[in-house]
Amino acid sequence: MGRGKVQLRRIESNVSRQVTFSKRRSGLLKKAHEIAVLCDANVAVIVFSAKGRLYEYSAHTSMERILERYETFSLSQGNVVEEFTDLEGSMNYDHIKLTSRIEALQKSRRNLMGEQLDSLTAREVQQLEQQIGNALRNIRLKKEKAEVLEASLHKNRPAPFCNNTVASLPNLNIW
């Protein structure tokens, strides 16, 4: 027995609308993940909530790479989405791209800080863990090099000139 057809209209109740958004968003992201895994496709999904919060999913490559690929493909094919043809080359289009990139970078920064990890898939969490591990190794290497350099500088530095040094010098009787 299947479900009845849902009438598409705005949900009036704020709570019901938020619950529906959350469930449908997770369903959409799940379907995107499934098609990416089953069909080995590069998939990117971007969703903005009514409050302007960004939710995104990208499979196999980063969101930025997929968007760049889309942009170069659509420009080379001349199939630029009709909504954006008027914006092409204008400041509005650049603003949208930069805003989207800023939001993606902010999300990435929050994830690196250990915040808002609930929306990440297991694979994304694993990639994040690997990225943090690599960064930590690089930081430790840099720290070790700095410590070795500092130690070698202290080792090769002459002792400061003091009264004890003068007393130990031989009397040369230059006059």
Side-chain angles (χ1 to χ4, degrees):
M1 180 175 196
R3 297 177 187 234
K5 188 172 182 176
V6 176
Q7 185 180 13
L8 291 179
R9 60 182 167 79
R10 185 176 187 271
I11 300 171
E12 297 301 322
S13 167
N14 286 340
V15 174
S16 296
R17 188 173 42 238
Q18 180 59 36
V19 168
T20 301
F21 174 79
S22 178
K23 286 181 179 180
R24 288 189 176 236
R25 182 195 72 231
S26 62
L28 176 65
L29 297 178
K30 181 179 176 185
K31 290 292 184 188
H33 176 70
E34 289 173 1
I35 195 170
V37 171
L38 294 173
C39 303
D40 196 30
N42 284 331
V43 178
V45 177
I46 301 173
V47 179
F48 287 99
S49 70
K51 293 182 179 181
R53 192 165 183 188
L54 171 68
Y55 299 92
E56 64 179 12
Y57 170 80
S58 59
H60 304 301
T61 58
S62 71
M63 177 67 73
E64 183 176 308
R65 286 187 186 152
I66 293 175
L67 290 175
E68 286 174 1
R69 184 174 174 198
Y70 168 76
E71 185 177 306
T72 56
F73 178 80
S74 63
L75 291 176
S76 68
Q77 297 295 318
N79 296 333
V80 180
V81 179
E82 288 180 9
E83 295 175 25
F84 295 108
T85 55
D86 295 335
L87 299 176
E88 184 75 21
S90 72
M91 289 177 57
N92 288 334
Y93 181 69
D94 292 339
H95 176 73
I96 291 168
K97 280 178 56 178
L98 290 173
T99 302
S100 151
R101 185 164 180 167
I102 287 170
E103 289 171 351
L105 289 171
Q106 287 174 337
K107 181 182 185 281
S108 176
R109 184 194 64 79
R110 285 190 298 268
N111 290 343
L112 287 170
M113 298 300 287
E115 301 168 1
Q116 296 180 356
L117 301 175
D118 297 336
S119 64
L120 298 179
T121 65
R123 182 177 177 180
E124 290 171 327
V125 170
Q126 188 177 19
Q127 288 173 342
L128 181 64
E129 183 180 30
Q130 186 177 15
Q131 187 179 7
I132 291 171
N134 291 339
L136 187 58
R137 275 191 292 283
N138 290 339
I139 291 168
R140 287 183 177 148
L141 282 172
K142 179 71 174 171
K143 178 184 172 188
E144 288 174 12
K145 286 180 183 178
E147 289 173 346
V148 167
L149 180 63
E150 188 175 332
S152 69
L153 288 175
H154 285 298
K155 186 177 183 181
N156 295 334
R157 185 178 293 161
F161 195 74
C162 63
N163 289 338
N164 294 342
T165 308
V166 173
S168 65
L169 291 175
N171 190 358
L172 298 177
N173 289 331
I174 299 177
W175 344 106

